[in-house]
Amino acid sequence: MAAALWGGVLPLLASLFLLAPPPAAAASLTEITGFGNNPSNLRMYEYVPDSVAARPAVLVAVHYCTGSGPAFHSGTEFASLADRYGFIVIYPSATRSGACFDVSSPQALRHDGGSDPVGIVSMVRYAQQRHNADPNRVYVTGASSGGMMTNVLLGDYPDVFAAGAAFMGVPFGCFATTDGSGWNSACANGTITRTPQAWGDLVRGAYPGYQGARPRMQLWHGTEDATLRYPNFGEEIKQWTNVLGVGQTPARTDRPQPTWTRTRYGATGDQAPVEAVSVQGTGHSLPASGMAARAITFFGLDAR
């Protein structure tokens, strides 16, 4: 009788097993090679969530000096937000000594000029082709060296990026050098000041003749930053309000957190042309918890 019972149950179990969906494989960070023109030999890592959208947005997340793509992946909240909202994250890795990105050479500061920006844009184009990604929804964020690169990429490639969120960065062109050095002490120390028009002209000069839309910019900086000092935050605001053609007087000021002062320029909503968040009492340690989600809201990626 037992044999007869199992004889009836086993086929039923087998049929249920065949009908059940296979267990989901957890998404993981994957290194991509051969992704296109890459003059400075960057490495590319991508994170494609299991629930990736049919025509996904792409976010480039750029690490700090001494960091790496995998370290920025594991140390920030962008991948978990990608899981929630279905976009793809690209994590470039710098390979030069110190693992900083080139934001200072003449090649890096012009459209298709060479160096790291060219390699990063190759990563974006690879992801667009491989994953049917939406070319109108490409964004970039980064911290420190990556925050500086965010400024550089928006200046060099306004035709590629729709918006950026720069944590602890400096204005486009502020770190420029002509002696081969990758470090500009005057800029890092916050002693370079220019008019909004002069800062804006540096951005416009990166891609002469470009007449299209300019990407929106979100800026973050800690008031006690001793590495890329806080005056750079105000200079970035001057630059990007000029580039985007909006006034320097905030359209709205509020405090999303007790230590945050957020100013919006050109509009009052979540996707204002320029948004700037000053973090009181904080040093060179952004993004902190919850800040990545604010960047995703600014990009408009927090809905499928």
Side-chain angles (χ1 to χ4, degrees):
M1 176 142 184
L5 178 61
W6 279 110
V9 170
L10 288 175
L12 177 60
L13 290 175
S15 66
L16 290 174
F17 178 78
L18 291 172
L19 291 172
S28 60
L29 191 68
T30 302
E31 182 167 9
I32 304 297
T33 58
F35 52 82
N37 188 14
N38 183 24
S40 52
N41 297 314
L42 300 178
R43 296 175 74 173
M44 174 186 177
Y45 298 85
E46 70 171 11
Y47 183 79
V48 181
D50 294 330
S51 58
V52 65
R55 190 151 172 78
V58 174
L59 173 63
V60 180
V62 193
H63 67 74
Y64 43 85
C65 286
T66 74
S68 68
F72 208 55
H73 165 259
S74 62
T76 59
E77 298 170 311
F78 295 110
S80 63
L81 290 161
D83 288 335
R84 188 180 308 171
Y85 299 118
F87 58 86
I88 292 168
V89 191
I90 294 171
Y91 297 92
S93 262
T95 57
R96 63 176 53 83
S97 176
C100 297
F101 288 93
D102 178 10
V103 296
S104 58
S105 75
Q107 292 77 23
L109 295 173
R110 68 176 186 268
H111 180 80
D112 286 346
S115 196
D116 294 350
V118 167
I120 292 172
V121 169
S122 292
M123 298 177 195
V124 170
R125 289 173 175 153
Y126 174 91
Q128 288 171 338
Q129 293 170 3
R130 181 177 181 183
H131 302 291
N132 190 36
D134 187 345
N136 296 314
R137 294 194 301 148
V138 179
Y139 306 91
V140 59
T141 188
S144 192
S145 181
M148 293 192 279
M149 180 54 76
T150 298
N151 278 266
V152 167
L153 288 169
L154 293 199
D156 284 356
Y157 291 98
D159 55 331
V160 172
F161 295 94
F167 294 89
M168 310 177 301
V170 303
F172 177 97
C174 182
F175 236 65
T177 60
T178 56
D179 60 1
S181 170
W183 187 260
N184 185 319
S185 293
C187 178
N189 290 332
T191 62
I192 295 179
T193 60
R194 290 188 169 96
T195 65
Q197 182 70 35
W199 280 126
D201 286 346
L202 285 176
V203 170
R204 289 181 286 270
Y207 192 175
Y210 177 75
Q211 298 295 322
R214 292 284 176 175
R216 298 177 298 110
M217 177 62 103
Q218 184 187 64
L219 304 163
W220 297 77
H221 225 103
T223 60
E224 303 305 312
D225 194 323
T227 302
L228 298 172
R229 292 190 179 271
Y230 184 68
N232 282 301
F233 179 64
E235 299 302 302
E236 286 177 297
I237 294 171
K238 287 158 61 174
Q239 181 172 67
W240 291 105
T241 52
N242 180 267
V243 168
L244 286 154
V246 298
Q248 292 185 68
T249 300
R252 182 182 180 188
T253 302
D254 64 358
R255 289 183 176 272
Q257 300 287 344
T259 61
W260 301 4
T261 301
R262 179 173 61 187
T263 48
R264 289 171 169 168
Y265 303 85
T268 60
D270 286 338
Q271 281 91 50
V274 178
E275 180 174 283
V277 186
S278 173
V279 187
Q280 183 65 39
T282 296
H284 199 66
S285 58
L286 305 180
S289 177
M291 294 180 179
R294 295 284 180 173
I296 295 308
T297 296
F298 178 74
F299 296 151
L301 291 178
D302 55 351
R304 284 183 176 269

